[in-house]
Amino acid sequence: LPNGWRWVRVQDVAEARLGKMLDKAKNKGRPYPYLRNTNVHWFDIRLDDLKTIPLGIDDFDVYRLEPQDVLICEGGHGIGRTAVWRGELTNVVFQKALHRVRPGSNLHPDYFAMCSFVYFDAGIMQAYFTGVGIPHFTGRALAQLVFPLPPIGEQHRIVAKVNELMVLCDQLEASLADANYSRSRLLESLLHHALESTTGAAKVA
């Protein structure tokens, strides 16, 4: 590792826990909106289909989301997907299909989310999954996940650089899409004129 970096486990630098079990018989109290794994995508939390769960004040305090919490899908479709909660809504909780990782002072949430993506893309995270047929990313496995941790200032610089490059990638993608659209219109125009010429020549003949 570069000088000043170190290998750490998630449990060394963050608090992680699974969300609230959905149990109609036991869950009582005020209804709160909650996130499930279908709401969490890579680097994106979608809020267009939220459900509610009744909770007492003690459970609400335990499962309430705070800005900069990191959410990770525990199982099912999308296992391992990771995104940072920005506090888009207030009084939101999370269900058992999700892990909440609450970073300590030495861990930048976006840096950890980026590490999770790299680990998943490289197949490293999958080595921590358990189960046959339907894999799960258990709380114990998440706590033991090992990743490289630079000093917090370096984490901020990495996150800023990646975000800068992602903006550039988005611009290039948009430019390519515009170019493809222009080529498509040009081809359409050329074919139209060619067909018109062919039709006109046939009428003259």
Side-chain angles (χ1 to χ4, degrees):
L1 290 176
N3 192 30
W5 293 46
R6 58 194 174 102
W7 292 105
V8 298
R9 293 181 175 86
V10 169
Q11 66 182 14
D12 299 329
V13 292
E15 175 215 336
R17 71 167 304 133
L18 273 172
K20 178 65 175 174
M21 172 77 78
L22 300 181
D23 189 330
K24 292 183 179 179
K26 294 182 179 180
N27 294 334
K28 306 290 184 182
R30 173 186 165 185
Y32 293 96
Y34 70 89
L35 298 182
R36 48 206 170 109
N37 61 348
T38 55
N39 298 114
V40 177
H41 297 255
W42 283 112
F43 308 112
D44 181 37
I45 296 177
R46 301 175 187 177
L47 304 174
D48 52 350
D49 183 26
L50 293 185
K51 299 181 181 296
T52 61
I53 181 174
L55 294 177
I57 188 62
D58 291 341
D59 276 342
F60 171 67
D61 286 340
V62 171
Y63 298 104
R64 177 177 55 191
L65 291 172
E66 296 181 0
Q68 307 309 308
D69 282 344
V70 182
L71 293 165
I72 304 175
C73 294
E74 184 271 343
H77 177 67
I79 182 173
R81 288 191 308 217
T82 304
V84 178
W85 175 249
R86 310 290 181 187
E88 294 88 341
L89 298 174
T90 58
N91 297 334
V92 178
V93 296
F94 64 109
Q95 70 142 148
K96 194 178 178 181
L98 295 172
H99 295 285
R100 180 189 66 196
V101 176
R102 184 162 287 169
S105 59
N106 292 323
L107 178 62
H108 192 301
D110 290 289
Y111 172 80
F112 180 69
M114 291 171 183
C115 282
S116 297
F117 177 79
V118 170
Y119 267 31
F120 186 89
D121 191 56
I124 298 171
M125 184 185 286
Q126 289 83 332
Y128 290 82
F129 296 169
T130 60
V132 178
I134 302 177
H136 289 272
F137 192 17
T138 67
R140 179 176 297 181
L142 173 60
Q144 296 299 315
L145 180 70
V146 177
F147 65 99
L149 185 74
I152 189 65
E154 184 68 12
Q155 293 177 54
H156 280 275
R157 285 189 289 273
I158 290 170
V159 169
K161 188 63 178 180
V162 171
N163 287 337
E164 177 186 328
L165 292 173
M166 289 306 297
V167 169
L168 178 59
C169 287
D170 290 341
Q171 292 172 347
L172 289 172
E173 186 176 14
S175 177
L176 288 172
D178 288 343
N180 286 336
Y181 178 74
S182 297
R183 283 196 294 269
S184 176
R185 292 298 302 273
L186 177 60
L187 178 60
E188 182 181 324
S189 178
L190 289 172
L191 288 173
H192 177 73
H193 287 298
L195 288 172
E196 278 192 339
S197 298
T198 302
T199 303
K203 287 181 179 180
V204 171

